[in-house]
Amino acid sequence: MTKNLEVGASFGIQGTFQMIAPITGKFRKLFIKDLTIALSLGGAGGAAWWNLYHLPNVARRDAYYAKLEASKSQ
């Protein structure tokens, strides 16, 4: 629902302006967008850390202890 407003000379502006409708649901939309981006980046970062850092270190550690165990048994 828009209304025409006459702006008087006391404001120094001449003309007719329309009121804009209030923005509704903006907080919810931004919250959902922010949450989606945060979970996506967090999941991608977590998967990258797990596959590129954690698993190679675990494999390196397991290989070290397997080699240590093999040298002790000889």
Side-chain angles (χ1 to χ4, degrees):
M1 187 159 123
T2 61
K3 294 182 179 180
N4 291 334
L5 294 177
E6 289 291 331
V7 178
S10 62
F11 292 111
I13 301 173
Q14 296 294 326
T16 303
F17 298 94
Q18 290 188 337
M19 295 177 65
I20 61 169
I23 300 171
T24 57
K26 185 176 182 180
F27 178 73
R28 182 183 52 188
K29 290 176 188 175
L30 287 177
F31 177 74
I32 291 171
K33 183 181 84 170
D34 288 347
L35 186 63
T36 302
I37 291 170
L39 291 176
S40 299
L41 290 177
W49 177 83
W50 186 263
N51 290 312
L52 299 175
Y53 179 77
H54 176 71
L55 290 180
N57 280 346
V58 169
R60 195 175 314 129
R61 182 192 65 207
D62 290 344
Y64 171 78
Y65 283 114
K67 181 180 173 185
L68 185 64
E69 187 67 28
S71 69
K72 283 184 179 182
S73 65
Q74 290 180 357

